[in-house]
Amino acid sequence: MKNKIAYLKKVARENALRSGALVVGTLAGTSAFAIDATPVTAAFDEANATYGVAVTALIALVAIGVGVGMIVSMMRKG
């Protein structure tokens, strides 16, 4: 029983060390890439503009569809 507990403690300690090393390595890597935020900001602004155009186009398509549907409906009645 003591051997199993010691083994589990050892495995938990090794996993904690690996996880800590992974977190430290990830943080060091991201800080190295994020030195200049200008490209990130430019990409974000461009994405916002593209999103706005897509939403506007979708609203326009829906409006056209509703309008055509209303016209067809009126023609069927009349």
Side-chain angles (χ1 to χ4, degrees):
M1 185 68 168
K2 287 184 180 183
N3 287 338
K4 288 183 181 180
I5 292 173
Y7 174 74
L8 289 175
K9 285 183 179 179
K10 179 183 173 189
V11 169
R13 189 179 317 116
E14 288 174 356
N15 286 339
L17 289 174
R18 277 192 225 130
S19 298
L22 177 66
V23 169
V24 169
T26 303
L27 291 176
T30 54
S31 66
F33 288 117
I35 292 172
D36 185 18
T38 306
V40 174
T41 306
F44 182 76
D45 292 340
E46 186 176 339
N48 277 340
T50 304
Y51 179 74
V53 169
V55 168
T56 304
L58 183 62
I59 291 172
L61 282 173
V62 169
I64 290 170
V66 169
V68 169
M70 289 175 68
I71 292 171
V72 169
S73 174
M74 288 179 180
M75 290 176 74
R76 285 184 185 166
K77 289 181 185 177

